[in-house]
Amino acid sequence: MSKILIRGAKVLGGEPQDVLIDGEVVEAVGTGLSAEGAEVVEAAGKVLLPGLVDLHTHLREPGREDSETVLTGTRAAASGGYTAVFAMANTFPVADTAGVVEQVYRLGQEHGYCDVQPIGAVTVGLEGKKLAELGAMHESAAGVTVFSDDGKCVDDAVIMRRALEYVKAFGGVVAQHAQEPRLTEGAQMNEGIVSAELGLGGWPAVAEESIIARDVLLAEHVGSRVHICHLSTAGSVEIVRWAKSRGIDVTAEVTPHHLLLTDELVRTYNPVYKVNPPLRTERDVFALREALADGTIDIVATDHAPHPHEDKDCEWAAAAMGMVGLETALSVVQETMVDTGLLTWAGVAERMSFKPAEIGRAKGHGRPVSAGEPANLTLVDTAYRGSVDPAGFASRSRNTPYEGRELPGRVTHTWLRGKATLVDGKLT
Ligand SMILES: [Zn+2]
């Protein structure tokens, strides 16, 4: 078995230590470990984190392989420091049967860049009318634990209640894309001063907040667990904070872009800034950062949403919603949360690895960096600064809002169960 010695890394941002990998597991963590028989990775000054886990990724396969495949998406994930991603169900066909989720799961295993845990649809065809075969997807080889109609909201309260009741039996979770459909008909951007000035259809904060309020109450009523995707407003934060204070079993995520960008960018009419939920105001951005810091928001999830050129390079109204995010997520979190003093690297590990793995019950991921644990690790050069060049992305798509923007930090190495998937910034 091959041994790798990662020498002098700041484990979770702490004091420099050596980490010895033997085969698929971490054999030892300490100072002055022997390098005998091991390949040495000099890591002085770099931060070693547990492999990142993304609870919200769109891999697009099957059906939209022109924007991403399981292979290109998991290569993008490895580039960004991820060792596990949860793949959303809005593919073609929809991942609403055991057959589709097993196919996606197996592709992830075959390619070997990053574990892929499929998310099952809540309703058949994401149509919001009839519950999908949640039990069969859970029982399948993919072992689905997270269910979501993401891209669409489970807006029927009875269906949402049934889904929450159903997943309770096996400890699953429903991840809600909170968007009241009637309140967002024709919506193009956040409803506010900028939408009024630009004359674009507004997407009110209440469309998100009303669904979150309803769903935390439903979760409390049935005694089940609900996860809220991509919180984007200050009001949503207040509702989740209130629900947690009541002891309701709710978790929440925020995307990197909602921690950094605002609706002022829509003034450029560049569709790269068109996303669901929309970019909000500076006040919302600061509320989201504060909530991520104090634990009201549990995790960062990318909502990596690749789109081909032709679906984004058009006028604003016609453009698809979404941004790629796997390869820039950690840099944006460093910029907005670490370099601002809001989070330590240990706090980042909690919100981008430990906690998402716990919510999605990803076996072997989100584990401490200690002896006997699976060697799922990522090494970050936090002193690096550079501008984002989408031409270098491993993703098949290029729809990043950060092109040309200078961001801190760069993932140099990723190990999936001891196997290097990224070495010196290059995919293996
Ligand atoms: Zn969504």
Side-chain angles (χ1 to χ4, degrees):
M1 277 310 222
S2 60
K3 288 194 179 197
I4 300 164
L5 183 75
I6 306 167
R7 188 144 61 193
K10 294 186 273 184
V11 179
L12 273 62
E15 290 302 307
Q17 287 191 297
D18 302 338
V19 175
L20 183 64
I21 300 171
D22 186 0
E24 296 191 354
V25 300
V26 173
E27 186 177 273
V29 179
T31 48
L33 296 186
S34 164
E36 201 182 316
E39 174 198 337
V40 176
V41 175
E42 295 295 351
K46 293 183 183 176
V47 170
L48 188 70
L49 298 174
L52 306 182
V53 177
D54 190 15
L55 201 64
H56 192 148
T57 303
H58 297 275
L59 293 179
R60 305 298 192 209
E61 187 176 3
R64 283 308 301 267
E65 290 84 354
D66 56 331
S67 51
E68 197 80 286
T69 64
V70 174
L71 177 61
T72 59
T74 52
R75 282 169 63 87
S79 284
Y82 288 87
T83 54
V85 297
F86 284 74
M88 276 298 175
N90 61 339
T91 48
F92 303 93
V94 170
D96 58 2
T97 63
V100 178
V101 294
E102 284 184 351
Q103 179 195 353
V104 172
Y105 174 77
R106 291 215 172 93
L107 283 170
Q109 294 292 308
E110 274 168 36
H111 299 315
Y113 281 96
C114 175
D115 285 347
V116 175
Q117 188 56 59
I119 291 174
V122 175
T123 66
V124 174
L126 306 180
E127 285 173 354
K129 298 198 169 68
K130 186 166 168 276
L131 273 193
E133 296 167 8
L134 311 186
M137 288 189 274
H138 175 68
E139 296 297 322
S140 77
V144 176
T145 58
V146 182
F147 297 88
S148 183
D149 275 2
D150 183 63
K152 288 185 176 173
C153 181
V154 180
D155 65 309
D156 183 315
V158 174
I159 298 276
M160 188 63 184
R161 175 187 177 162
R162 296 237 167 87
L164 288 166
E165 284 169 342
Y166 201 104
V167 301
K168 191 180 162 185
F170 52 82
V173 65
V174 179
Q176 176 68 293
H177 170 115
Q179 178 189 354
E180 211 293 317
R182 291 274 289 143
L183 284 170
T184 51
E185 275 172 20
Q188 292 284 327
M189 65 170 296
N190 177 50
E191 179 179 300
I193 294 164
V194 181
S195 69
E197 285 180 17
L198 298 180
L200 288 172
W203 186 308
V206 67
E208 175 172 310
E209 294 156 5
S210 57
I211 294 291
I212 298 175
R214 182 201 75 178
D215 286 355
V216 295
L217 291 172
L218 279 174
E220 179 178 48
H221 183 64
V222 306
S224 189
R225 191 159 72 98
V226 69
H227 176 75
I228 311 295
C229 296
H230 42 51
L231 252 67
S232 71
T233 77
S236 296
V237 167
E238 285 311 305
I239 294 162
V240 170
R241 191 172 279 137
W242 170 84
K244 287 189 168 184
S245 76
R246 263 172 88 91
I248 296 172
D249 201 354
V250 57
T251 52
E253 71 189 33
V254 64
T255 70
H257 47 272
H258 288 110
L259 291 170
L260 181 61
L261 309 176
T262 72
D263 65 351
E264 288 293 332
L265 290 162
V266 181
R267 293 185 191 278
T268 64
Y269 287 105
N270 185 344
V272 80
Y273 301 117
K274 187 174 177 184
V275 65
N276 177 351
L279 300 177
R280 303 289 187 178
T281 67
E282 191 171 63
R283 178 176 158 264
D284 297 302
V285 166
F286 286 119
L288 293 165
R289 289 184 187 181
E290 190 190 340
L292 183 63
D294 72 19
T296 302
I297 294 177
D298 302 82
I299 65 168
V300 175
T302 67
D303 195 5
H304 176 80
H307 289 292
H309 202 56
E310 58 271 23
D311 290 357
K312 280 302 244 186
D313 251 11
C314 49
E315 64 180 80
W316 181 275
M321 290 187 246
M323 305 166 168
V324 290
L326 285 167
E327 293 171 82
T328 48
L330 193 60
S331 290
V332 174
V333 170
Q334 182 178 340
E335 167 103 345
T336 57
M337 301 300 294
V338 181
D339 292 355
T340 52
L342 289 167
L343 275 187
T344 62
W345 284 106
V348 172
E350 180 73 24
R351 289 155 182 79
M352 295 183 79
S353 179
F354 298 147
K355 193 73 188 187
E358 182 190 321
I359 294 168
R361 300 165 82 204
K363 286 193 194 81
H365 293 277
R367 303 294 307 162
V369 181
S370 55
E373 296 288 353
N376 295 317
L377 301 166
T378 188
L379 188 61
V380 192
D381 178 2
T382 58
Y384 176 89
R385 283 198 80 89
S387 58
V388 176
D389 179 11
F393 281 176
S395 170
R396 180 159 284 179
S397 291
R398 299 283 178 268
N399 52 307
T400 174
Y402 311 117
E403 181 171 4
R405 186 176 188 127
E406 194 180 290
L407 288 174
R410 174 172 172 265
V411 175
T412 63
H413 294 70
T414 308
W415 290 274
L416 175 63
R417 284 181 291 280
K419 178 182 163 270
T421 54
L422 187 79
V423 174
D424 291 326
K426 293 190 178 63
L427 289 158
T428 57

